[in-house]
Amino acid sequence: MTAIKHALQRDIFTPNDERLLSIVNVCKAGKKKKNCFLCATVTTERPVQVKVVKVKKSDKGDFYKRQIAWALRDLAVVDAKDAIKENPEFDLHFEKVYKWVASSTAEKNAFISCIWKLNQRYLRKKIDFVNVSSQLLEELPKVTEESVPSGENQSVTGGDEEAVDEYQELNAREEQDIEIMMEGCEYAISNAEAFAEKLSRELQVLDGANIQSIMASEKQVNILMKLLDEALKEVDQIELKLSSYEEMLQSVKEQMDQISESNHLIHLSNTNNVKLLLEIEFLVNHMDLAKGHIKALQEGDLASSRGIEACTNAADALLQCMNVALRPGHDMLLAVKQQQQHFSDLREYFARRLASHLNNVFVQQFTQALLQLYNRSYFLSVPGHDQSSTLAQHSIELTLPNHHPFHRDLLRYAKLMEWLKSTDYGKYEGLTKNYMDYLSRLYEREIKDFFEVAKIKMTGTTKESKKFGTEKTVFRATLPRKESAVKQETESLHGSSGKLTGSTSSLNKLSVQSSGNRRSQSSSLLDMGNMSASDLDVADRTKFDKIFEQVLSELEPLCLAEQDFISKFFKLQQHPSMPGTMSNQIRQMEEVKISKKSKVGILPFVAEFEEFAGLAESIFKNAERRGDLDKAYTKLIRGVFVNVEKVANESQKTPRDVVMMENFHHIFATLSRLKISCLEAEKKEAKQKYTDHLQSYVIYSLGQPLEKLNHFFEGVEARVAQGIREEEVSYQLAFNKQELRKVIKEYPGKEVKKGLDNLYKKVDKHLCEEENLLQVVWHSMQDEFIRQYKHFEGLIARCYPGSGVTMEFTIQDILDYCSSIAQSH
């Protein structure tokens, strides 16, 4: 054990400025015996640090390595298991309990005794020693640590012989002196005893000389001894002071350790407080709605420009607060939940208030427009001789009512409508329905009266045989009818807007009503056309054309203005699900289902694109917004291309190449006929895809009609590739002339024609009749078959020169077979 102790001191602890005091060989209790060493050490530098170090022998070499170290101040309990009987087991309680079994009870007792002494000397906190014999727990002598000369390698008790006898290595000077001494004595190595006697004699001589010298200088020795005594007293005083300083520093160290731990906790607390403050600031900055915004949402004036602006800003701020991206855990906070509920209530309340106000604005505008319309209709309906003068005053200009003031008033609410659309789509849809209902009724009456004015301007006055008294009667009766009609229309509109929740079915019904209104207006316009043809002479034709042109010129800006207003007010161009967009058609393409039992043929969306492009070119070929149409073309054609390939990949009845070939041929033909300049690249791409898949289908369907002959010549080409000269191939046993003739005889002209006829029937089943590509495909197959035939002839000519071997049918035979088959079907 002493050798191991010296080795550990030299290899592990000396490099770390530590001194090994005690060692015990142990293994973990209850496990396989993997031995290690527990070492009690102290540092050589002050303040002294006491540790228990676990050292393990390396598995890969004969050296030791430091595995783990515990500070002695962290040791709480030492349990020796039994204070009376000898027991090698003991426990050390650090942050957890470590159970050990020593190699011997003596080593265990020596190690525990050393731990007890170190605890008594260096630690203020006392360790609990349980089940330990009282003999091991001896009191230390009252000697301060500083009384031991520094640099001496003594034990904790100051009396361990093992510490005194510790091995000390020679330094370089000592080694040099010994070598010089041994060189001066020839027998230093051969006769060690004689050399030792010589050294002993010389040492005695030197001791004697030294004693004589000391005695000769007794006075100086006495002075020196006196000085030494004084020096020792000073040293004792210094050591006492150092000891007191060390105790003070030890206390300061413990306090500093506590302060360090406190500082760590304070730093951790400050860090947490900063993070908490950041989270609170985030929530306050992003989820706090100003009181002014809340007041605007609850009480803001929606009739004035200033109030509308305040409500718009407040609604945007509310939306930002509601849409803030919360961090993990925020949604579990009660305050956040309450704030979100508060925002939701505010949004619901303001949405109801906004929808109600806008509906009232619709009703007011509708009422005002109806009053103007009925005033105009009243003067037109009064019969009598003054009608022409009335028309001259009130309807001399054939114009439709101007809705710009109404649009201007409503556009102030455009941003609020956008907010309503994103937050409460039900109320937005209800407002949309009500406005469409109001608009359809208003335009129905305005356009109807507009056409009446146009007819009156064409035909002149109506019946003038009625008397003037009748005019008074009509005048008296018209006014109350006008007031009651306006009241009825207004009540009808209020009734329809009772619930601001629209639905698709409601909109569909409304669109049907609008289409009926348009049919009635169209019939009025048709009546004008019929009237002009039957009632007017050629002289009045110019007048009719002028009035008819004026009618159209009034209708177009009215429609465009209303369309522009609706797009801006209702934000329809941003609606993702508007019916009729270039997205719906692409989605319909993706949803196309093909039959698993019949041919695919030309896909429906390919035919629909042809119809759409033809109609669009006939109407909008030279339109001002041609650029928008070109964009639509590009998106549509890409959708067609992608979905043709999708359907082709999913097809089971019809080969993929046939679906691609036929549909891209149709697309190419359509684009070539319409000559749409923006789709030139797509036209070239369609042609290329058609050509590629035609060739692929021909090669796949034709395959190897002369299969055995193909295999034979593939073997010939393989021999040539291996380095055999072409003219020497016929000397190969498997590829001689006899084998070639045998293979050729299996393909007489009759068999070839039969195979081609079956191929034609197979192709006919795959191709559709509407595209009429059968003859094109058949001609391509004929060319491919002839190409293979020429390839075989070339190989025969090169590899079997002068053999006279030829095929039993010629190229002309192939042409005749193909022509005959095509005509017979």
Side-chain angles (χ1 to χ4, degrees):
M1 184 63 72
T2 304
I4 294 176
K5 186 175 180 180
H6 284 302
L8 293 178
Q9 176 68 55
R10 181 183 68 247
D11 298 337
I12 295 179
F13 298 111
T14 298
N16 290 331
D17 296 328
E18 291 178 307
R19 188 152 51 95
L20 177 60
L21 300 180
S22 180
I23 183 173
V24 57
N25 186 3
V26 297
C27 64
K28 288 186 178 180
K31 293 189 177 181
K32 294 182 180 179
K33 293 189 176 181
K34 293 184 178 180
N35 289 356
C36 59
F37 298 99
L38 291 181
C39 305
T41 67
V42 295
T43 58
T44 58
E45 296 181 355
R46 296 179 183 272
V48 176
Q49 299 292 328
V50 186
K51 297 179 182 179
V52 176
V53 182
K54 179 183 176 184
V55 177
K56 183 179 179 183
K57 190 173 184 180
S58 175
D59 296 333
K60 298 182 179 180
D62 191 13
F63 63 90
Y64 298 92
K65 61 180 180 180
R66 187 184 190 119
Q67 194 169 20
I68 188 172
W70 301 274
L72 190 65
R73 67 172 179 270
D74 296 332
L75 181 61
V77 178
V78 176
D79 187 357
K81 297 296 184 180
D82 196 329
I84 300 175
K85 297 181 179 179
E86 291 188 354
N87 185 355
E89 297 182 1
F90 66 98
D91 296 346
L92 299 180
H93 294 234
F94 288 101
E95 75 280 359
K96 66 177 183 179
V97 178
Y98 293 90
K99 297 180 179 295
W100 307 102
V101 178
S103 60
S104 67
T105 306
E107 288 185 14
K108 163 192 161 182
N109 293 337
F111 183 76
I112 293 177
S113 177
C114 181
I115 294 295
W116 184 81
K117 294 174 183 178
L118 290 172
N119 177 49
Q120 294 295 319
R121 184 178 184 86
Y122 292 107
L123 297 183
R124 292 179 177 274
K125 169 190 171 184
K126 300 303 179 183
I127 301 172
D128 292 336
F129 288 83
V130 182
N131 299 322
V132 180
S133 173
S134 59
Q135 297 178 358
L136 299 178
L137 307 180
E138 298 177 354
E139 291 293 334
L140 287 173
K142 302 300 182 178
V143 179
T144 61
E145 181 186 359
E146 288 74 9
S147 64
V148 181
S150 61
E152 291 186 0
N153 192 11
Q154 63 182 13
S155 69
V156 176
T157 61
D160 287 352
E161 292 181 0
E162 184 180 357
V164 176
D165 294 336
E166 285 183 350
Y167 169 77
Q168 297 291 329
E169 294 183 357
L170 296 176
N171 56 34
R173 184 171 181 179
E174 290 173 342
E175 290 180 357
Q176 185 178 4
D177 292 341
I178 290 175
E179 290 178 356
I180 295 172
M181 188 181 301
M182 293 176 70
E183 289 176 357
C185 185
E186 295 180 355
Y187 52 86
I189 297 176
S190 60
N191 193 347
E193 293 181 357
F195 180 66
E197 291 178 1
K198 180 182 177 182
L199 291 178
S200 178
R201 290 193 301 269
E202 290 180 355
L203 180 61
Q204 291 176 0
V205 173
L206 290 175
D207 286 341
N210 188 27
I211 292 172
Q212 291 177 1
S213 175
I214 293 173
M215 293 176 64
S217 55
E218 182 178 359
K219 183 178 181 179
Q220 286 80 2
V221 170
N222 291 332
I223 295 173
L224 179 61
M225 294 298 295
K226 184 178 180 181
L227 291 176
L228 288 175
D229 291 338
E230 292 176 355
L232 289 174
K233 292 179 180 179
E234 292 292 332
V235 168
D236 291 339
Q237 292 178 359
I238 292 173
E239 287 182 347
L240 290 174
K241 288 184 180 180
L242 288 176
S243 178
S244 63
Y245 291 159
E246 184 177 359
E247 292 180 357
M248 294 171 62
L249 288 175
Q250 183 67 23
S251 175
V252 171
K253 179 181 180 300
E254 292 178 357
Q255 294 176 4
M256 291 300 296
D257 291 340
Q258 294 178 356
I259 292 174
S260 176
E261 292 180 2
S262 300
N263 288 339
H264 175 70
L265 294 176
I266 293 172
H267 177 72
L268 183 62
S269 176
N270 289 339
T271 302
N272 292 335
N273 289 334
V274 170
K275 291 182 178 179
L276 180 60
L277 181 60
L278 291 175
E279 297 295 327
I280 295 174
E281 287 179 348
F282 172 81
L283 293 175
V284 170
N285 292 336
H286 293 85
M287 295 195 68
D288 186 26
L289 192 62
K291 294 182 179 179
H293 289 329
I294 296 176
K295 185 175 181 182
L297 292 173
Q298 294 176 340
E299 306 173 3
D301 183 12
L302 288 171
S304 65
S305 299
R306 192 176 218 174
I308 292 173
E309 183 180 0
C311 289
T312 303
N313 295 335
D316 290 340
L318 175 62
L319 191 61
Q320 290 178 2
C321 290
M322 296 189 71
N323 293 338
V324 63
L326 295 177
R327 296 169 184 170
H330 284 176
D331 54 351
M332 300 177 65
L333 297 176
L334 179 60
V336 173
K337 293 180 179 179
Q338 293 175 347
Q339 193 73 341
Q340 288 177 332
Q341 184 61 43
H342 179 55
F343 291 156
S344 180
D345 295 340
L346 272 178
R347 178 190 64 186
E348 181 65 24
Y349 177 79
F350 181 68
R352 287 198 306 269
R353 197 164 74 90
L354 175 63
S356 177
H357 178 79
L358 288 176
N359 189 68
N360 291 334
V361 173
F362 293 164
V363 173
Q364 291 174 6
Q365 291 187 353
F366 179 61
T367 305
Q368 183 180 353
L370 281 182
L371 285 173
Q372 296 175 357
L373 185 62
Y374 278 113
N375 284 333
R376 175 171 173 166
S377 301
Y378 164 72
F379 289 109
L380 292 177
S381 63
V382 176
H385 61 277
D386 280 342
Q387 188 177 17
S388 59
S389 62
T390 301
L391 287 175
Q393 295 175 7
H394 296 279
S395 61
I396 190 66
E397 293 185 2
L398 187 61
T399 58
L400 281 165
N402 190 352
H403 292 178
H404 288 305
F406 298 157
H407 294 168
R408 184 179 61 252
D409 291 342
L410 288 176
L411 281 176
R412 298 183 302 167
Y413 302 97
K415 291 186 177 179
L416 289 175
M417 279 298 293
E418 184 177 7
W419 177 87
L420 188 64
K421 181 179 180 181
S422 61
T423 57
D424 194 334
Y425 192 76
K427 292 184 175 59
Y428 164 83
E429 193 174 28
L431 283 173
T432 304
K433 175 187 176 300
N434 289 341
Y435 182 80
M436 291 175 63
D437 191 14
Y438 136 73
L439 195 67
S440 61
R441 298 183 189 184
L442 182 60
Y443 275 120
E444 177 185 2
R445 285 159 179 76
E446 288 181 349
I447 294 176
K448 183 177 179 181
D449 288 351
F450 177 67
F451 284 146
E452 288 296 327
V453 172
K455 288 199 291 187
I456 292 175
K457 290 181 74 69
M458 282 298 306
T459 61
T461 59
T462 57
K463 299 179 180 179
E464 297 180 358
S465 58
K466 294 186 178 181
K467 297 182 180 179
F468 181 73
T470 309
E471 298 176 9
K472 295 182 179 180
T473 304
V474 173
F475 182 79
R476 293 193 189 98
T478 305
L479 186 58
R481 281 202 307 271
K482 175 187 69 173
E483 294 175 352
S484 62
V486 172
K487 182 178 180 182
Q488 183 179 1
E489 291 288 350
T490 304
E491 291 176 352
S492 174
L493 187 60
H494 273 295
S496 65
S497 61
K499 295 181 179 179
L500 294 177
T501 54
S503 63
T504 307
S505 59
S506 303
L507 296 177
N508 290 338
K509 292 177 182 178
L510 188 59
S511 64
V512 172
Q513 296 173 1
S514 301
S515 63
N517 297 337
R518 288 194 296 271
R519 285 196 296 270
S520 64
Q521 295 158 9
S522 301
S523 63
S524 300
L525 192 61
L526 184 60
D527 291 342
M528 288 183 61
N530 295 335
M531 173 193 68
S532 65
S534 59
D535 299 340
L536 300 180
D537 54 15
V538 179
D540 293 334
R541 183 71 186 187
T542 304
K543 180 180 179 183
F544 170 79
D545 292 341
K546 182 178 179 181
I547 294 175
F548 191 74
E549 182 180 358
Q550 189 175 359
V551 168
L552 296 179
S553 65
E554 285 291 324
L555 287 174
E556 182 182 8
L558 179 73
C559 295
L560 293 177
E562 190 64 43
Q563 174 182 315
D564 182 62
F565 165 73
I566 290 176
S567 298
K568 292 179 180 177
F569 185 67
F570 291 104
K571 303 295 180 182
L572 296 182
Q573 66 273 20
Q574 300 177 2
H575 199 295
S577 59
M578 282 182 61
T581 57
M582 301 317 163
S583 302
N584 257 6
Q585 293 190 22
I586 293 175
R587 185 167 61 252
Q588 291 172 4
M589 296 178 195
E590 295 171 351
E591 294 173 355
V592 165
K593 301 296 182 183
I594 58 174
S595 174
K596 297 181 179 179
K597 297 182 180 180
S598 59
K599 299 178 183 178
V600 174
I602 302 303
L603 294 168
F605 55 82
V606 174
E608 288 169 3
F609 174 77
E610 178 185 18
E611 181 182 355
F612 168 78
L615 182 60
E617 285 299 304
S618 64
I619 298 174
F620 303 108
K621 187 171 185 178
N622 298 317
E624 294 180 359
R625 298 180 65 182
R626 174 71 194 196
D628 294 336
L629 181 61
D630 290 343
K631 292 179 182 178
Y633 278 150
T634 304
K635 291 181 180 178
L636 267 182
I637 199 67
R638 296 318 309 174
V640 170
F641 279 27
V642 170
N643 286 285
V644 166
E645 294 198 18
K646 175 177 173 290
V647 173
N649 292 332
E650 296 173 354
S651 174
Q652 297 180 3
K653 180 69 174 179
T654 306
R656 177 180 183 274
D657 287 322
V658 173
V659 178
M660 297 287 287
M661 172 185 66
E662 289 182 332
N663 282 277
F664 278 107
H665 177 267
H666 193 89
I667 295 170
F668 170 69
T670 298
L671 297 180
S672 299
R673 175 171 55 82
L674 295 176
K675 298 180 179 178
I676 302 173
S677 58
C678 68
L679 298 181
E680 280 298 318
E682 284 76 9
K683 182 178 75 172
K684 294 179 181 178
E685 183 179 354
K687 182 179 180 181
Q688 186 64 42
K689 286 181 179 291
Y690 154 67
T691 305
D692 292 344
H693 288 283
L694 170 62
Q695 186 67 21
S696 176
Y697 176 68
V698 167
I699 295 174
Y700 172 77
S701 299
L702 185 62
Q704 295 179 341
L706 311 177
E707 186 175 4
K708 293 183 179 179
L709 197 60
N710 265 288
H711 290 329
F712 183 85
F713 282 114
E714 284 177 357
V716 170
E717 291 176 332
R719 294 297 188 275
V720 173
Q722 292 172 1
I724 298 176
R725 298 174 59 183
E726 291 182 339
E727 58 271 17
E728 295 177 356
V729 171
S730 60
Y731 298 106
Q732 299 289 319
L733 183 61
F735 301 100
N736 55 31
K737 297 175 186 179
Q738 289 75 18
E739 292 295 326
L740 176 61
R741 289 191 179 97
K742 187 186 301 184
V743 174
I744 288 177
K745 284 182 179 179
E746 295 189 18
Y747 294 99
K750 182 179 179 180
E751 290 296 324
V752 173
K753 183 178 180 181
K754 182 179 178 181
L756 290 174
D757 187 63
N758 292 334
L759 179 61
Y760 187 92
K761 292 177 182 178
K762 177 183 176 183
V763 173
D764 189 27
K765 288 181 181 179
H766 289 163
L767 301 180
C768 65
E769 297 178 359
E770 51 189 324
E771 201 58 24
N772 197 23
L773 288 178
L774 180 58
Q775 297 305 320
V776 176
V777 174
W778 185 243
H779 184 73
S780 298
M781 287 186 170
Q782 172 186 290
D783 293 343
E784 176 63 20
F785 189 63
I786 292 174
R787 186 194 65 78
Q788 291 187 17
Y789 181 89
K790 290 180 178 179
H791 177 64
F792 296 154
E793 281 191 330
L795 285 174
I796 293 172
R798 295 194 303 273
C799 298
Y800 303 91
S803 63
V805 179
T806 59
M807 306 286 283
E808 294 193 358
F809 58 93
T810 63
I811 292 178
Q812 185 59 45
D813 292 334
I814 296 174
L815 295 174
D816 293 340
Y817 297 157
C818 292
S819 177
S820 174
I821 292 170
Q823 291 176 5
S824 64
H825 291 280

